[in-house]
Amino acid sequence: MKNMESKRIREEYLKFFENKEHKIVKSSSLIPFDDPTLLFTNAGMVQFKKFWATDVPLPYTRAVSCQKCLRAGGKDSDLEKIGDSGKHHTFFEMLGNFSFGDYFKKEAIEWAYEFVVEKLKIKEENLWVSYYKEDLETKKIWMKFIPEKKIIPLGEKDNFWGPAGDTGPCGPCTEIYFDFGEEKGCKKEDCKPGCDCERFLEFWNLVFPQYDKQKDGRLLPLKRRGVDTGMGLERISRILQKVETNYDTDLFIPIIKKIEEISNFSYEENKKNFRIISDHIRGIVFAISDGVIPSNEGRGYVLRRLIRRASLSGLDLNLKEPFLYKLSNIVIDLMKDVYTELSQNKEIIEKVIYEEEERFLYLISSSRKIFFDIVKKEKEAIDGETVFKLYDTYGIPKDLIEELALKFNKKIDWNQFEIFMERQKEMSRAKSKMGIKLNPILISEKILETEFVGYEKIFVIGKLVSIYSCDNLYYLVFDKTPFYPEKGGQIGDRGIISNDKFKFKVLDTQIDE
Ligand SMILES: [Zn+2]
């Protein structure tokens, strides 16, 4: 078995199946174009889903692709595993060959074996396979190549695949494993594929879609049964490059080197933070390139979380200024030959990352220390009252509290938090019924109305037109504002008002009808 570069693995794979009359199809966007049930493209089959389930005319009956995938939100998210695991990713590339009503189990298995043993030169003795326990047809085909004791039956959880969203094609699957040898494993007698230890690495999953799952859960026969396979490029690269984890392959080394260069920390001593940053930056670059912009919901929120988590890991490496944007070029250089859109979007990718990083670092600069000081004495969970204090007294937004809690391995009692929140709302309702008397301190200008610009911007430069006081609190009136007032059951926005001479903490925003 020779060391093989990831670039060559991609090429060999596409070429191998092209020679078996497969059409090479370009990776589709990370944003699924016709599947509202799916946040991101999470497998090679997503762009072909309709070819199995409906009567659409087929442009080809065999296809092969290298698909960009993101699993960072929704039910298949691997986000929490990143850092500790050397084999999971949010963004990854999936090599896949597909049949739409064309070949089925026999050819799929024979070709997979041929590719692995003859093209990749993986030794037969390192191979194990699993199959769905009721799919004896698959077992029989494997017995031509693999000793029976290395063909393992697994249940529905592991070897029945799909659907990718809530409905659509699904069916039994068979997985191919690489055996790193007994000494890498748990050494238990019943250690075999499916075991939690590090001995076996699943690197290729061959799915046989033969059912079409309905909204009510029924499994109907697929109009066109077929084959849908997925091989993680990062994992097969790790095997062929004979390295310890996916992060030690040529897909990650240049990114890790760059982080070492800008941080002056070493990967060996800071594996978790380096893995989070190098994993997330790939997802960040590809998501922005496919048109996602950081926001507070849906895909934009997933992107925002990736940037925030990578930034937090950067802070652990003493990277207090924006740095992720500098890594985007490395990712683009590594991938631009395969994904040509990256070069065209280079500037916008860098700009979006920089702006989001800068904003996050501003938000986090005070919050992180306060959070840490307050929660360090708490054990595993942070009680609702403390969370409320972080939110109410220190003005740390809820999603940031959540992010910091994850970072410091603490759980949060949100139910209790809601009770404190409700209590505060009642108090402020009672207060506004009583009416408060404001003492004017400065009125430089009378205005009829403050212009609200919060739908477009969260930072804005406004003109201070009057100041009032009451009970040691100050009330400032501006000509325009991004702060949303208490209205329609929603509480007023909080934040900061500052210029180079003063800084005000905004505790509440009220409207004077
Ligand atoms: Zn084991």
Side-chain angles (χ1 to χ4, degrees):
M1 190 171 104
K2 277 200 223 119
N3 281 3
M4 201 186 267
E5 285 178 18
S6 54
K7 186 170 163 1
R8 227 191 100 206
I9 300 170
R10 254 192 232 110
E11 287 164 6
E12 290 286 339
Y13 184 83
L14 297 175
K15 207 166 68 192
F16 178 85
F17 284 98
E18 189 181 33
N19 287 336
K20 306 224 181 277
E21 287 155 42
H22 287 60
K23 160 95 178 151
I24 298 180
V25 180
K26 213 174 157 265
S27 170
S28 64
S29 167
L30 281 180
I31 303 176
F33 62 96
D34 62 351
D35 190 343
T37 64
L38 206 56
L39 206 51
F40 290 104
T41 298
N42 59 0
M45 60 80 75
V46 171
Q47 67 167 321
F48 303 118
K49 209 165 131 180
K50 61 179 183 300
F51 290 171
W52 289 295
T54 62
D55 285 327
V56 292
L58 292 173
Y60 36 77
T61 59
R62 297 176 183 188
V64 61
S65 70
C66 176
Q67 174 69 48
K68 47 190 175 183
C69 300
L70 191 61
R71 294 186 181 174
K75 68 173 183 180
D76 62 358
S77 174
D78 281 329
L79 192 64
E80 324 289 317
K81 292 183 193 143
I82 311 303
D84 296 319
S85 159
K87 61 185 179 192
H88 288 92
H89 301 288
T90 55
F91 175 87
F92 62 98
E93 291 172 88
M94 192 185 273
L95 301 165
N97 54 289
F98 307 91
S99 150
F100 316 110
D102 192 319
Y103 64 90
F104 201 44
K105 296 176 183 174
K106 182 175 173 289
E107 292 85 347
I109 291 172
E110 285 175 1
W111 291 340
Y113 183 82
E114 183 187 337
F115 182 72
V116 167
V117 173
E118 286 174 26
K119 289 287 167 195
L120 301 183
K121 309 281 183 210
I122 292 179
K123 290 200 188 89
E124 204 190 293
E125 66 205 50
N126 292 114
L127 294 176
W128 289 60
V129 296
S130 68
Y131 68 98
Y132 179 52
K133 60 185 194 239
E134 284 167 29
D135 183 12
L136 300 177
E137 191 187 351
T138 291
K139 182 185 179 187
K140 213 174 128 197
I141 302 167
W142 275 122
M143 280 170 65
K144 285 192 280 182
F145 307 106
I146 307 265
E148 193 175 356
K149 65 173 200 301
K150 293 166 81 179
I151 306 175
I152 308 296
L154 288 179
E156 205 160 313
K157 190 175 145 279
D158 294 296
N159 276 188
F160 193 91
W161 189 86
D166 295 325
T167 59
C170 55
C173 60
T174 174
E175 295 173 308
I176 309 179
Y177 290 79
F178 186 86
D179 180 1
F180 288 102
E182 261 172 75
E183 64 279 11
K184 289 270 179 196
C186 59
K187 300 192 173 75
K188 285 182 195 139
E189 224 168 274
D190 60 347
C191 182
K192 57 176 189 284
C195 182
D196 278 340
C197 73
E198 294 295 314
R199 176 172 168 185
F200 297 100
L201 181 67
E202 181 253 312
F203 65 93
W204 200 353
N205 190 359
L206 279 52
V207 185
F208 306 116
Q210 50 187 123
Y211 307 109
D212 185 8
K213 189 172 181 182
Q214 305 296 299
K215 273 197 188 119
D216 59 12
R218 278 177 309 150
L219 295 175
L220 300 183
L222 258 192
K223 293 237 161 45
R224 300 178 180 123
R225 65 175 195 183
V227 173
D228 153 26
T229 85
M231 171 154 59
L233 180 65
E234 296 75 11
R235 289 188 180 189
I236 190 68
S237 298
R238 170 193 165 186
I239 293 168
L240 296 175
Q241 293 169 20
K242 302 187 192 80
V243 287
E244 281 293 306
T245 73
N246 297 2
Y247 293 92
D248 302 295
T249 65
D250 59 357
L251 290 160
F252 286 91
I253 287 171
I255 307 173
I256 286 172
K257 285 239 162 76
K258 183 73 180 176
I259 305 170
E260 285 186 324
E261 185 195 310
I262 56 183
S263 71
N264 285 319
F265 279 81
S266 80
Y267 170 58
E268 280 309 311
E269 283 156 24
N270 299 277
K271 282 191 177 158
K272 185 168 179 175
N273 287 318
F274 271 74
R275 285 176 182 173
I276 290 174
I277 297 169
S278 59
D279 172 89
H280 289 9
I281 189 64
R282 300 192 336 146
I284 293 165
V285 165
F286 276 89
I288 298 171
S289 179
D290 280 347
V292 184
I293 293 291
S295 75
N296 276 336
E297 55 184 17
R299 298 183 178 109
Y301 187 57
V302 173
L303 173 60
R304 172 160 285 169
R305 289 200 66 193
L306 290 174
I307 296 176
R308 288 180 165 190
R309 294 197 72 208
S311 282
L312 281 173
S313 282
L315 285 172
D316 283 351
L317 303 175
N318 219 6
L319 293 165
K320 292 175 185 156
E321 299 291 325
F323 71 98
L324 290 169
Y325 76 100
K326 292 183 196 162
L327 299 176
S328 64
N329 280 340
I330 308 286
V331 177
I332 294 170
D333 280 344
L334 276 169
M335 307 290 240
K336 66 184 179 197
D337 293 341
V338 188
Y339 306 97
T340 49
E341 69 277 12
L342 291 175
S343 303
Q344 292 153 23
N345 298 328
K346 196 172 161 154
E347 275 164 38
I348 179 90
I349 292 169
E350 208 171 288
K351 187 165 175 282
V352 170
I353 298 175
Y354 182 83
E355 282 176 5
E356 181 69 11
E357 267 191 289
E358 197 185 33
R359 188 156 73 167
F360 178 65
L361 288 168
Y362 174 75
L363 275 173
I364 199 80
S365 55
S366 54
S367 309
R368 189 166 172 261
K369 188 167 178 331
I370 294 166
F371 184 91
F372 189 69
D373 286 346
I374 289 184
V375 306
K376 68 183 168 199
K377 52 185 183 295
E378 315 268 335
K379 289 220 170 69
E380 277 167 16
I382 312 172
D383 65 74
E385 189 177 0
T386 306
V387 179
F388 185 72
K389 194 165 140 196
L390 290 167
Y391 173 80
D392 187 58
T393 313
Y394 297 102
I396 308 178
K398 274 164 80 177
D399 55 345
L400 209 56
I401 295 175
E402 181 95 58
E403 216 64 76
L404 286 163
L406 186 70
K407 175 80 190 163
F408 292 108
N409 275 325
K410 311 268 185 194
K411 287 203 172 57
I412 287 178
D413 189 341
W414 284 117
N415 289 333
Q416 216 188 351
F417 168 84
E418 289 302 331
I419 295 169
F420 280 92
M421 193 74 182
E422 200 45 50
R423 206 176 289 167
Q424 193 216 34
K425 272 190 209 158
E426 271 164 29
M427 272 162 61
S428 77
R429 260 180 241 131
K431 201 166 148 194
S432 62
K433 268 184 204 149
M434 285 182 334
I436 36 173
K437 191 166 169 3
L438 299 175
N439 307 311
I441 293 181
L442 166 98
I443 298 177
S444 67
E445 207 176 306
K446 286 261 182 207
I447 55 162
L448 284 173
E449 199 172 77
T450 299
E451 185 194 353
F452 176 69
V453 295
Y455 292 122
E456 303 92 43
K457 293 173 188 152
I458 66 160
F459 289 115
V460 69
I461 297 172
K463 190 169 158 199
L464 180 61
V465 293
S466 47
I467 304 175
Y468 300 87
S469 79
C470 175
D471 292 344
N472 293 327
L473 291 172
Y474 290 90
Y475 292 76
L476 310 185
V477 181
F478 286 85
D479 64 338
K480 57 179 150 181
T481 181
F483 289 86
Y484 193 82
E486 178 176 348
K487 209 163 123 184
Q490 202 169 323
I491 61 161
D493 273 352
R494 300 145 168 277
I496 286 170
I497 293 173
S498 65
N499 70 9
D500 47 6
K501 295 192 188 67
F502 71 84
K503 194 167 176 181
F504 269 103
K505 187 178 281 167
V506 180
L507 300 175
D508 193 10
T509 306
Q510 290 290 330
I511 190 162
D512 182 11
E513 301 280 3

